[in-house]
Amino acid sequence: MFVLTCLAGIGKSPGTQYCTWIYQIFSMENFRLIEYGSCDYQEMIALRDAILRKPLGLTFTQAYLQQEINDLLIGCFTMEGENEKLIGCCVLTPVDEATVQLRQMAVDQTFQGKGIGRSIIAFAEQQAVSNGFTDLMMHARKTAAGFYEKLGYKIHGDEFTEVGIAHYEMKKKL
């Protein structure tokens, strides 16, 4: 199963990997690429808007979203009754031949703190490697830097402001 493969090598003990793997089997998370413009993509925009944009008083423009047409759009879904629900997502944007940028990482507030973000990152890293990238970088919110450091990302440079809040550039060799 994907989850066991993906969690190997992200800095956790084998027991923790096993527990996370068991949690994900029973909680029925499903990770997959999302097609630009699809119904899943619209759900992704809504989640990102709720978690990342609205709290800052920001909204998406069509021009901004149009730039994602060639990006890797990643979603984490779970079953809610008989329907699938998007509970987390991120975007991978190529920077150059070797580097991809992780952007717009969001997890539904109900599911935060349950390993979903860690698993989305693992899936994103796997997708990046599968697409020939060797480096992953991001502009991480200062409040999330510790989360990414636990996954092997390193801060590069000084703190800077983006969308009105403190960020760090973080990088990891894949």
Side-chain angles (χ1 to χ4, degrees):
M1 178 167 190
F2 159 75
V3 178
L4 184 59
T5 304
C6 243
L7 290 176
I10 62 169
K12 296 290 180 182
S13 68
T16 303
Q17 288 175 1
Y18 178 75
C19 292
T20 303
W21 178 67
I22 293 297
Y23 167 78
Q24 290 183 349
I25 286 175
F26 291 109
S27 61
M28 304 295 285
E29 275 96 37
N30 172 27
F31 298 86
R32 66 172 182 264
L33 295 178
I34 294 174
E35 183 180 341
Y36 179 84
S38 66
C39 290
D40 287 342
Y41 181 67
Q42 298 309 313
E43 210 177 326
M44 180 186 201
I45 293 169
L47 178 62
R48 291 162 44 195
D49 189 50
I51 300 296
L52 302 172
R53 304 299 258 191
K54 282 185 181 172
L56 301 177
L58 302 172
T59 59
F60 288 114
T61 64
Q62 270 312 112
Y64 180 90
L65 295 173
Q66 182 67 34
Q67 294 174 33
E68 297 180 348
I69 197 163
N70 294 314
D71 291 345
L72 292 172
L73 309 168
I74 294 171
C76 174
F77 297 82
T78 193
M79 293 304 293
E80 190 172 79
E82 300 213 3
N83 301 312
E84 270 193 322
K85 177 184 178 180
L86 179 72
I87 59 171
C89 61
C90 70
V91 176
L92 293 179
T93 302
V95 174
D96 57 39
E97 288 184 16
T99 306
V100 66
Q101 181 177 359
L102 183 131
R103 304 183 309 101
Q104 296 286 296
M105 173 77 175
V107 175
D108 183 302
Q109 287 185 332
T110 307
F111 293 90
Q112 290 179 8
K114 297 180 180 179
I116 303 300
R118 184 178 340 110
S119 296
I120 290 170
I121 294 293
F123 184 80
E125 289 175 355
Q126 180 192 47
Q127 291 301 308
V129 169
S130 295
N131 282 276
F133 295 102
T134 56
D135 301 293
L136 195 148
M137 61 83 60
M138 69 183 78
H139 293 173
R141 291 180 179 193
K142 183 177 181 178
T143 57
F147 166 77
Y148 293 113
E149 285 177 318
K150 289 177 189 172
L151 300 178
Y153 290 84
K154 304 286 183 219
I155 293 173
H156 288 266
D158 295 327
E159 180 182 311
F160 62 94
T161 301
E162 189 171 76
V163 295
I165 56 175
H167 281 72
Y168 289 111
E169 182 172 304
M170 300 187 80
K171 297 180 181 180
K172 181 179 179 180
K173 269 272 193 233
L174 301 175

